[in-house]
Amino acid sequence: WGARPTDIVLSPDGKWAYFGWAEVDDSPTGYTAYVSVVNVRTMKIDKLMKQESRFRGAPRAQRLHHIQSWTDVDGNDNVVLQWGFGANGGPHFILDPNDDNRVKRAITYEDVQVMGHPFTTPSPDGKTLYVSIGSPEIRESDSHTAAGIAKVNLDTGAVTNVMGTGNHPIGITHTEDGAFTYVVDGHGSMVYKIDDATNEVVGKASAGVAGPYGLAMNWDESLLFTDGKGE
């Protein structure tokens, strides 16, 4: 795929743009994945980053898939780089755009033992990062309840797992009051509802489309829209 672009996102204050791509080369993994941090005022690259890790005893270079930025209730800006494709994403890195875009926290396999598709979202207050739990083996299993969502407290690093969201959680959204989280299962084409006070799945329904990839609510949260990708 030569130089294959992925996602483009701005920092909350609009000063920085983040752009990921990968280039085929003669490295052990066959390609190198990059992220450029662009100064929006000058339109010049301020930093060039790459990610390298080991997975199941061998070197692995994951391509950047999604990027998301947000400001938490304390006014801290965050940018999360979400690496990987398929059902074995991660690690993910949270940058501080106001501190020279340094990494202030990594979400790794030590935090979330099996990291699924790289689709993370912050809680409405910005203090918790929701990370999909999964793997290729879980995605192909017959249980339909083996995958889940990990809630990572960004202040303490504590992790709470909420299991039972199908085989391949691939989209997450939250009610504005932080009471409920909705998750779509891209393999089973179902939507799951999580009570964030009890950390339990309290409802499920058909996604209405084959292979849902994401979801969003309308302004008064009376309707939930699912995006079908056909996977």
Side-chain angles (χ1 to χ4, degrees):
W1 15 264
R4 180 177 178 178
T6 49
D7 209 351
I8 303 174
V9 166
L10 293 176
S11 60
D13 59 10
K15 292 181 179 180
W16 306 103
Y18 305 83
F19 173 68
W21 76 95
E23 294 184 355
V24 174
D25 54 28
D26 58 0
S27 65
T29 57
Y31 66 90
T32 301
Y34 297 98
V35 177
S36 60
V37 182
V38 177
N39 185 316
V40 175
R41 286 179 179 269
T42 65
M43 295 306 295
K44 293 183 177 180
I45 294 177
D46 182 76
K47 286 182 178 58
L48 188 64
M49 307 176 180
K50 67 177 182 178
Q51 183 267 117
E52 296 176 344
S53 62
R54 296 186 66 82
F55 181 68
R56 296 181 178 177
R60 177 176 72 166
Q62 292 279 71
R63 286 175 286 150
L64 186 72
H65 199 156
H66 296 295
I67 315 168
Q68 193 167 32
S69 67
W70 74 96
T71 303
D72 65 26
V73 293
D74 296 326
N76 301 308
D77 291 341
N78 304 271
V79 175
V80 61
L81 307 178
Q82 304 165 46
W83 297 84
F85 281 70
N88 55 352
H92 309 313
F93 299 95
I94 301 175
L95 311 182
D96 185 345
N98 300 316
D99 184 21
D100 202 28
N101 283 295
R102 289 184 171 87
V103 175
K104 61 180 179 180
R105 181 177 291 277
I107 309 297
T108 71
Y109 281 83
E110 282 69 34
D111 304 302
V112 182
Q113 294 303 308
V114 282
M115 301 176 73
H117 185 80
F119 194 112
T120 74
T121 61
S123 58
D125 65 5
K127 307 293 283 186
T128 300
L129 192 68
Y130 287 66
V131 182
S132 63
I133 297 173
S135 69
E137 295 80 6
I138 291 174
R139 181 181 57 187
E140 302 302 325
S141 72
D142 296 325
S143 71
H144 303 296
T145 58
I149 299 296
K151 299 169 60 174
V152 181
N153 185 307
L154 297 180
D155 287 333
T156 67
V159 178
T160 301
N161 291 342
V162 182
M163 306 306 295
T165 61
N167 293 53
H168 190 39
I170 201 168
I172 309 167
T173 195
H174 314 273
T175 56
E176 188 175 359
D177 60 5
F180 297 101
T181 293
Y182 292 90
V183 181
V184 286
D185 173 15
H187 211 62
S189 300
M190 298 289 289
V191 177
Y192 294 86
K193 181 179 182 180
I194 295 172
D195 184 324
D196 279 301
T198 63
N199 294 318
E200 295 178 347
V201 174
V202 294
K204 65 178 181 178
S206 170
V209 292
Y213 191 83
L215 70 172
M217 284 176 281
N218 64 338
W219 69 274
D220 65 356
E221 300 181 347
S222 61
L223 294 173
L224 185 70
F225 295 89
T226 57
D227 302 324
K229 196 180 179 185
E231 293 185 350

